[in-house]
């Protein structure tokens, strides 16, 4: 396949086989980080002149991965910067005398211009023109009064590889987790359980030679149905599976022609929606295990899906399209274009969709079914946005009297809370020291949990933006989630552990 060919070619050209590096110690996303640093190095090299002078300002346009390895492109870009540097120096010299003559008046004017006024427009999507904070200037310290003590936390071990995902059962304290060891697990954390935190192992197998053998593929997604009786999982082996809450395999759904990236139950619990690398999305009948309809509208892998109601959903892809589709319709009922989407989620009002970039751009956009162009363009993060989540508040939710918020987590190590109606950032949460991979609102929307590769889970007050609790683990955090009561937070980690911390309101 293309994945295998790319991996083989990279291995040969990088001489990785001659290295003594232990692959299990290489953190996830390391290759992405190396490539990003390489691009930054080439851009920095371009902007340095032969005499050691540096162009004052960022490149007009960032280099792409292909441009960075094309000598002609690099040379042309370097020449353009040298010419602009010469123009900049000439302009600065010409303006020096005039600037000196009017220094007093100019200083006064600049000070007045930079003073924010009441009612002034927001800057870069943030209230009061506040700027992003660089968290990497000093080591992280967690205040003793917010750190969750060991007796308030539980470590669950059993997975043999990274645990990418976790999700609480909506009616009981059963936590599902999915791992690179080709298993999902259901952990019983009910306080009235006599056996403690027991685990059920859901082995993802494929049929070969008349026998079931482990697929040896990552479990990429999982979701409980609304009454908590069934768990659906998606795998890199291309199959979706339905399991009972006691760990028995009920159905295997096998129409995708490649890895499954996401799947979701509808609210009624009769359909499952899946998105795959084969560029299609499928609605499955949960009772029969048969595909009700396959939607082949994307021209690139489908990355994420979410239901708008029991028969209508939205899907996104790297083809720069969001398609809103309905069961029984042979064409999308709505398409948003011009946005390279990585992840998307739909809020409970059934009217608004949020999308985000993680392809090098730092944009989150709000879309409405009533118009073709985006409602808000939220630009404040300084690096890629990895994930976004809607708050469980506002019209159509169980918390209708609270305002709708959107949380965005970024590789810039920050989390931002957005006022969706006004399109402004209301809080920037800055305690993490590494990329933030996951955020989750508590069921009442009053708290937000965030998990980062700094091995920490932080819990924040969404109204004040203050840090309430922190927990430091032993592995980078991929996913965080709240139980139905809002008194426990689960976190899946890169060291194969699943961690549970109790939240006291």
């Amino acid at each position: 396949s293309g994945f295998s060919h790319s991996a083989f070619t990279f291995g040969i050209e990088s001489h990785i086989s001659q290295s003594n590096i232990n692959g299990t110690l290489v953190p996830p996303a390391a290759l992405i980080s190396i490539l990003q640093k390489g691009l930054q190095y080439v851009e920095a090299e371009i902007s340095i002149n032969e005499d050691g002078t540096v162009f004052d300002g960022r490149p007009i346009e960032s280099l792409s991965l292909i441009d960075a390895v094309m000598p002609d492109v690099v040379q042309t870009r370097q020449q353009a910067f040298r010419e602009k540097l010469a123009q900049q120096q000439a302009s600065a010299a010409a303006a020096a005398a005039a600037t000196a003559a009017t220094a007093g008046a100019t200083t006064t004017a600049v000070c007045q211009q930079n003073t924010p006024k009441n009612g002034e427009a927001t800057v870069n999507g943030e209230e009061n023109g506040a700027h992003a904070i660089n968290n990497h200037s000093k080591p992280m310290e967690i205040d003793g009064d917010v750190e969750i003590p060991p007796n308030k936390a539980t470590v669950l071990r059993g997975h043999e590889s990274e645990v990418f995902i976790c999700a609480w059962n909506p009616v009981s304290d059963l936590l599902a987790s999915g791992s690179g060891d080709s298993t999902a697990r259901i952990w019983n954390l009910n306080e009235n359980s006599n056996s403690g935190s027991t685990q059920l192992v859901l082995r993802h197998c494929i049929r070969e030679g008349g026998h079931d053998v482990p697929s040896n593929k990552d479990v990429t997604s999982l979701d409980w149905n609304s009454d908590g009786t069934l768990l659906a999982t998606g795998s890199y082996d291309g199959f979706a599976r339905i399991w009972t809450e006691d760990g028995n395999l009920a159905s295997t759904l096998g129409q995708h022609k490649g890895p499954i990236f996401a799947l979701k139950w509808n609210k009624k619990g009769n359909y499952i929606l899946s998105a795959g690398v084969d560029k299609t999305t499928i609605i499955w009948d949960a009772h029969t295990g048969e595909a009700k309809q396959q939607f082949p509208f994307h021209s690139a892998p489908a990355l994420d899906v979410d239901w708008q109601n029991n028969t209508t959903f939205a899907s996104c892809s790297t083809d720069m399209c969001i398609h809103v589709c309905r069961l029984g319709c042979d064409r999308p009922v709505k398409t948003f274009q011009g946005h390279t989407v990585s992840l998307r989620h739909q809020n409970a009002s059934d009217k608004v969709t949020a999308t985000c970039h993680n392809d090098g751009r730092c944009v989150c956009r709000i879309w409405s079914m009533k118009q073709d162009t985006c409602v808000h363009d939220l630009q404040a993060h300084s690096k890629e946005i990895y994930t976004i989540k809607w708050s469980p508040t506002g019209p159509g939710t169980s918390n209708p009297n609270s305002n709708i918020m959107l949380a965005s987590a970024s590789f810039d190590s920050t989390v931002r809370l957005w006022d969706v109606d006004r399109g402004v950032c209301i809080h920037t949460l800055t305690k993490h020291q590494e990329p933030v991979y996951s955020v989750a609102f508590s069921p009442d929307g009053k708290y937000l949990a965030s998990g980062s590769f700094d091995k920490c889970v932080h819990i924040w007050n969404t109204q004040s933006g203050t840090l309430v609790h922190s927990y430091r683990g032993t592995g980078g955090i991929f996913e965080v989630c709240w139980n139905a009561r809002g008194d426990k937070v689960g976190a899946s980690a890169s060291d194969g552990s699943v961690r549970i911390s109790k939240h006291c309101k």
Side-chain angles (χ1 to χ4, degrees), residues 370-389:
K370 296 180 180 180
Q371 62 187 64
D372 295 330
T373 57
C374 68
V375 178
H376 294 299
D377 199 73
L378 310 179
Q379 302 183 43
H381 285 290
S382 60
K383 291 185 180 180
E384 297 93 329
I385 300 170
Y386 188 78
T387 190
I388 50 179
K389 288 289 177 64

Side-chain angles (χ1 to χ4, degrees), residues 270-330:
N270 59 331
Y271 295 137
I272 297 172
L273 176 63
S274 62
V277 74
D278 61 4
K279 308 175 187 178
T280 73
T281 54
I282 299 176
I283 291 181
W284 305 87
D285 187 315
H287 301 298
T288 65
E290 300 295 325
K292 290 287 291 183
Q293 186 173 348
Q294 189 161 9
F295 303 84
F297 304 135
H298 287 295
S299 58
L303 298 179
D304 202 2
V305 286
D306 203 7
W307 292 96
Q308 189 180 65
N309 54 47
N310 284 314
T311 57
T312 305
F313 68 93
S315 63
C316 68
S317 166
T318 55
D319 63 5
M320 301 182 72
C321 289
I322 308 165
H323 292 310
V324 180
C325 303
R326 183 175 296 124
L327 182 63
C329 296
D330 59 2

